[in-house]
Amino acid sequence: QVQLVESGGGLVQPGGSLRLSCAAAGFTLDYYAIGWFRQAPGKEREGVSCISSSDGSTYYADSVKGRFTISRDNAKNTVYLQMNSLKPEDTAVYYCATDCYIRENTIVVVTGMDYWGKGTLVTVSS
């Protein structure tokens, strides 16, 4: 019913680009702040980017600033993450989720109110 579906992951070489998509079903995505998160083996989940539902403000983790861009297409009920200049350390499963916000300069979600997709794998390797 209410679900998010990520797509666009794959294998790319360092310096390459990918565009991830987060498509919503069962709700209107533009009513929500939407965030991108990632998790690599042996590491905690990291907030990558967040786009607000009000003024469209965007936020990025320091590790991706200048390389990643989050955007929204309301007509398609989809949020995107354009990833450029990819590095091996960007390798992870990427998830999108509802209700992101910024806490102590970290992108997080509202616990108990968040919806998550199943993720899409991004592998950056030569």
Side-chain angles (χ1 to χ4, degrees):
Q1 187 178 15
V2 177
Q3 60 178 275
L4 297 169
V5 180
E6 302 96 337
S7 62
L11 173 64
V12 297
Q13 295 183 353
S17 298
L18 285 173
R19 189 178 74 163
L20 306 184
S21 298
C22 174
F27 64 98
T28 302
L29 204 158
D30 54 296
Y31 290 166
Y32 295 83
I34 301 296
W36 284 98
F37 300 79
R38 65 187 182 187
Q39 188 163 23
K43 297 183 179 179
E44 295 184 354
R45 187 181 65 198
E46 175 189 16
V48 174
S49 186
C50 178
I51 185 167
S52 73
S53 62
S54 54
D55 61 2
S57 298
T58 58
Y59 306 89
Y60 300 93
D62 289 341
S63 58
V64 306
K65 285 181 180 178
R67 300 188 297 120
F68 291 11
T69 303
I70 190 170
S71 62
R72 175 189 292 124
D73 187 336
N74 291 336
K76 296 182 178 180
N77 208 27
T78 301
V79 168
Y80 302 97
L81 184 69
Q82 178 67 45
M83 306 186 298
N84 299 326
S85 302
L86 284 163
K87 305 175 181 179
E89 50 264 44
D90 294 319
T91 296
V93 177
Y94 284 71
Y95 303 88
C96 61
T98 61
D99 299 307
C100 58
Y101 70 102
I102 313 303
R103 184 181 67 196
E104 298 180 348
N105 204 37
T106 301
I107 301 168
V108 297
V109 298
V110 179
T111 302
M113 300 179 61
D114 50 319
Y115 293 94
W116 294 83
K118 293 181 172 60
T120 185
L121 176 63
V122 172
T123 302
V124 185
S125 177
S126 59

